[in-house]
């Protein structure tokens, strides 16, 4: 197949490109090489064609789609960003860019899309109250967070809640600008699928980490932020009490999920969301501690600080992706984090 990978010079996209090339596919990359991610020109797979342009650039997107059988849409601004001044850039790169791409795909007759979505679309993950069963916690109150009470109580009886795995049919409740743009991307892609009869597989990534993560940027994932601190000789700074549960999934497993998705016909006229995780929930504090120990750096500092837009626990079941795609994560937390403590980051 000839596949267009938007954002194919980035962290996840570059691994997808490498895997597609190794599988014998013809790959074209469209990447804006944004300074927030690429402080120097990155190396890309020599077997792939690179077009340096923004996904909002309509003529360049049209040219990039020439002769393409499927699109793997990885291009996006990620992370919580700095402040609300980032909002227009998130909306432009993530939502306007996706709209431009989808319109061009409709004109070109390209009907297969794999969309990089995210677990952030759920907001908080799943919870269960011992008395009231499955519940959705209420909003996290600043007064409670300031007092160090980070665990959300049952909204009905006030008892402590047990985190559970969230499935793809859970309500979407974005808590940040980035999350809102990912929800919008899914809705735009679903509307495109309905109108064109195309298929969309929306891969809801969990906390992806591994080699080639960008260093020293507020737009990176928490694993990269911790690792960057260690390289500077500083301790990783952990927000809240470090007990936030996440599913840290290695980038090699995420790239494999994309390969499976691009080989799958999907469901014509529909968007199918699929959680892509490791199946091994771990705390943010665990990630910081293991990285610091293996790297040989300073022990993490638990700050008690918190941020608007953060959620307490979000981990998901990837059972649907296993059944639908044959997705099977292979990199364990211990293997992946031990390697990541030594993996090169991107400048």
């Amino acid at each position: 197949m000839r596949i267009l990978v938007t954002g194919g010079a980035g962290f996840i996209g570059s691994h997808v490109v490498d895997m597609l090339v190794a599988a014998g596919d013809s790959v074209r990359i469209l990447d804006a090489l944004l300074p927030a991610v690429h402080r120097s020109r990155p190396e890309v797979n020599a077997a792939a064609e690179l077009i340096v342009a923004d996904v909002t650039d309509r003529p360049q997107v049209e040219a990039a789609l020439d002769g393409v059988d499927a699109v793997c849409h990885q291009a996006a601004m990620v992370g919580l960003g700095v402040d609300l001044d980032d909002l227009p850039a998130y909306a432009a790169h993530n939502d306007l860019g996706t709209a431009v791409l989808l319109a061009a795909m409709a004109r070109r007759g390209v009907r297969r899309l794999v969309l990089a979505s995210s677990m952030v679309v759920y907001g908080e993950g799943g919870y269960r109250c011992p008395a009231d069963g499955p519940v959705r916690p209420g909003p996290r109150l600043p007064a409670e967070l300031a007092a160090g009470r980070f665990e959300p109580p049952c909204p009905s009886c006030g008892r402590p809640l047990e985190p559970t795995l969230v499935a793809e049919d859970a309500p979407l409740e974005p808590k940040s600008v980035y999350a809102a743009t990912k929800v919008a991307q899914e809705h735009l892609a679903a509307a495109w699928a309905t109108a064109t009869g195309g298929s969309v597989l929306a891969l809801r990534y969990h906390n992806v980490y591994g080699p080639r993560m960008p260093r020293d940027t507020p737009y990176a994932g928490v694993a990269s932020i911790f690792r960057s601190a260690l390289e500077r000789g500083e301790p990783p700074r952990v927000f809240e009490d470090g007990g936030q549960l996440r599913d840290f999934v290695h980038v090699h497993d995420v790239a494999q999920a994309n390969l499976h998705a691009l080989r799958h016909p999907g469901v014509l006229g529909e968007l199918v969301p699929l959680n892509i995780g490791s199946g091994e929930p771990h705390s943010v504090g665990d990630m910081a501690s293991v990285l610091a120990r293996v790297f040989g750096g300073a022990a993490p500092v638990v700050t008690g600080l918190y941020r608007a837009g953060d959620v307490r626990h979000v981990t998901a079941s990837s059972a649907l992706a296993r059944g639908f795609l044959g997705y099977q994560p292979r990199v364990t937390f211990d293997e992946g984090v031990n390697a990541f403590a030594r993996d090169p980051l991107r400048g």
Side-chain angles (χ1 to χ4, degrees), residues 6-7 10 12 31-38 54-56 73-98 115-118 120 176-183 185 205 214 217-221:
T6 70
I12 297 173
D31 199 301
L33 304 185
L34 295 176
V37 179
H38 305 285
D54 197 285
V55 74
T56 60
H73 185 30
Q74 304 291 323
M77 283 186 67
V78 300
L80 285 181
V82 178
D83 53 38
L84 287 178
D85 283 341
D86 282 331
L87 200 158
Y90 274 99
H93 288 292
N94 296 359
D95 297 337
L96 176 59
T98 298
L115 173 67
S117 188
S118 172
V120 297
S176 67
V177 168
Y178 171 59
T181 65
K182 299 310 283 186
V183 171
Q185 279 187 319
Y205 303 156
T217 168
Y219 301 95

Side-chain angles (χ1 to χ4, degrees), residues 17-266:
V17 168
D18 287 348
M19 199 164 286
L20 289 171
V21 168
D25 292 297
S26 177
V27 181
R28 181 179 293 145
I29 298 168
L30 179 73
D31 199 301
L33 304 185
L34 295 176
V37 179
H38 305 285
R39 295 178 184 174
S40 59
R41 191 177 180 90
E43 293 184 9
V44 298
N45 194 301
E49 176 189 355
L50 172 63
I51 298 174
V52 179
D54 197 285
V55 74
T56 60
D57 186 329
R58 298 184 185 196
Q60 293 279 28
V61 171
E62 288 273 5
L65 286 168
D66 186 42
V68 162
D69 300 304
V71 174
C72 185
H73 185 30
Q74 304 291 323
M77 283 186 67
V78 300
L80 285 181
V82 178
D83 53 38
L84 287 178
D85 283 341
D86 282 331
L87 200 158
Y90 274 99
H93 288 292
N94 296 359
D95 297 337
L96 176 59
T98 298
V100 169
L101 174 66
L102 292 170
M105 289 175 66
R107 287 191 296 270
R108 287 280 183 166
V110 182
R111 296 291 184 261
R112 296 180 62 185
L113 174 67
V114 173
L115 173 67
S117 188
S118 172
M119 55 82 185
V120 297
V121 300
Y122 299 119
E124 289 286 349
Y127 291 88
R128 182 177 181 83
C129 173
D132 297 303
V135 297
R136 297 286 292 177
R140 304 185 80 194
L141 302 177
E144 292 292 304
L145 296 172
R149 292 188 286 271
F150 301 116
E151 295 290 345
C154 176
S156 298
C157 68
R159 295 185 185 186
L161 297 176
E162 302 167 357
T164 61
L165 299 180
V166 64
E168 288 84 352
D169 60 357
L172 305 186
E173 194 175 358
K175 301 289 189 181
S176 67
V177 168
Y178 171 59
T181 65
K182 299 310 283 186
V183 171
Q185 279 187 319
E186 288 198 14
H187 288 329
L188 288 167
W192 169 87
T194 299
T196 64
S199 68
V200 184
L201 296 180
L203 307 185
R204 292 176 178 169
Y205 303 156
H206 281 255
N207 288 68
V208 188
Y209 72 99
R212 304 180 196 163
M213 289 192 89
R215 67 160 56 88
D216 291 324
T217 168
Y219 301 95
V222 67
S224 177
I225 291 171
F226 290 161
R227 174 64 196 285
S228 295
L230 290 165
E231 288 203 352
R232 296 192 304 269
E234 301 170 5
R237 292 176 57 80
V238 180
F239 279 24
E240 300 185 16
D241 60 0
Q244 310 94 300
L245 289 177
R246 299 290 188 268
D247 185 334
F248 294 99
V249 57
H250 197 272
V251 68
H252 291 166
D253 287 329
V254 172
Q256 188 68 46
N258 277 273
L259 183 65
H260 287 318
L262 287 162
R263 298 287 189 264
H264 196 285

